[in-house]
Amino acid sequence: MEEKYLEIARKYLCDTEEGLNKSICITIKISDIDNAEDKEKFIKEKIETTPYKFSMATIHTDQYGIKTIMLFNQ
């Protein structure tokens, strides 16, 4: 299911890398998406309410096994 969430997140990424801040990233917990009623709306709002734009998204698992979608700039 997380691959589907990643596909959704990638739809809301910035088309250009010009002017993007490379030291900023955000994460969205997969469990939060799982619990959301409208998963696409939840992901979209998380991305669009952040004052930064992102060009990359990946699935990240931290040292405690918590999976997130990480949005960042390369």
Side-chain angles (χ1 to χ4, degrees):
M1 201 61 177
E2 52 218 37
E3 289 296 326
K4 174 89 171 134
Y5 300 159
L6 186 58
E7 285 178 37
I8 294 168
R10 286 182 173 154
K11 290 185 345 186
Y12 300 101
L13 295 176
C14 187
D15 312 22
T16 179
E17 292 188 21
E18 186 176 319
L20 298 177
N21 189 330
K22 295 184 182 192
S23 62
I24 302 290
C25 74
I26 65 165
T27 59
I28 306 170
K29 287 175 33 179
I30 297 294
S31 61
D32 290 346
I33 301 170
D34 286 338
N35 293 329
E37 190 171 314
D38 184 334
K39 291 156 183 22
E40 179 151 358
K41 182 179 177 187
F42 180 83
I43 294 168
K44 180 182 178 188
E45 286 178 354
K46 287 288 188 183
I47 294 170
E48 291 184 345
T49 58
T50 302
Y52 302 99
K53 301 291 182 205
F54 301 99
S55 62
M56 305 280 296
T58 190
I59 295 173
H60 174 73
T61 305
D62 73 10
Q63 66 206 37
Y64 303 106
I66 297 171
K67 291 188 176 201
T68 62
I69 294 177
M70 180 182 288
L71 296 119
F72 59 99
N73 297 308
Q74 200 170 30

